[in-house]
Amino acid sequence: MKNSFLSFLFIIVFSKSFFAQDSIKQHSLNWVDSYDIALKISKKEKKPILIYFKGSDWCEPCKVLDTELFASERFKELSDKSLVLLEVDIPRQLDLLSVDKMSENYYLKSRFKIKSFPTILIVDHKGNVLAEKKGYILTEYYFPFFEQEIRKYKS
C-alpha cells in the first residue's frame, strides 16, 4: 500500500513538472553583442534598449528571470516588436566570457552604477536611463513596466 501510494505520488509530481516544462519553452531572443551595436540599432529602429544585468553562474533570481520571463513566448513577441536587447553578464567564473566581453560588461556595470542583480534598465539610443527595475518581482509584473516604457518611448 505504501509503495503504491509513493509510486502514485511520484507519477503526479513527475507529470506536473513535465507539463510545466512544456508551457515554458526556450525561445531564441535577439540579444545584441555589444552596447555600441545596441545604441545603433535603437537609433535606427526607434526602439528603447532593455539592458539586463545578471550573474549567470551565481544569481538565483537571475536564473528565475531567465526561465520564467525571458524564455516566455510573450516576452519574445514583445521584444521582437518593440525592444533592443542587451544582456550584461557578470559571472564569478571568469572563463565563461571572453576577456573583451567581460571588460565591456564591467564597464557597463560601472557606467550605470549597478549594485544589485538582477537589474533591468530601459535606455534610449543615447544611453540615457529611462527606467529601472532592481531585484526580482513576479514575472507578470514586468510586462506592464515594459509596455508603459515602450509607450512613453514612442510618444
Side-chain angles (χ1 to χ4, degrees), residues 87-145:
E87 184 177 75
V88 179
D89 190 11
I90 309 290
R92 289 191 178 142
Q93 190 176 338
L94 300 179
D95 63 344
L96 291 178
L97 300 174
S98 71
V99 173
D100 290 341
K101 187 62 178 161
M102 285 294 288
S103 178
E104 178 183 39
N105 289 358
Y106 274 97
Y107 161 76
L108 292 170
K109 179 180 178 269
S110 174
R111 181 198 185 289
F112 290 108
K113 298 175 177 58
I114 302 302
K115 303 277 190 239
S116 63
F117 293 83
T119 295
I120 295 174
L121 300 180
I122 305 292
V123 303
D124 66 14
H125 70 277
K126 295 179 182 177
N128 299 314
V129 176
L130 306 173
E132 175 179 49
K133 282 276 185 216
K134 292 182 180 183
Y136 172 75
I137 56 174
L138 293 174
T139 303
E140 60 266 13
Y141 292 116
Y142 285 97
F143 288 102
F145 167 71

Side-chain angles (χ1 to χ4, degrees), residues 23-49:
S23 66
I24 298 176
K25 298 177 182 167
Q26 290 292 355
H27 300 285
S28 179
L29 297 176
N30 297 315
W31 297 101
V32 297
D33 292 334
S34 76
Y35 181 63
D36 290 337
I37 292 171
L39 293 173
K40 289 175 186 171
I41 294 171
S42 173
K43 184 174 183 176
K44 179 182 175 195
E45 297 183 6
K46 296 178 177 44
K47 294 179 182 177
I49 304 167

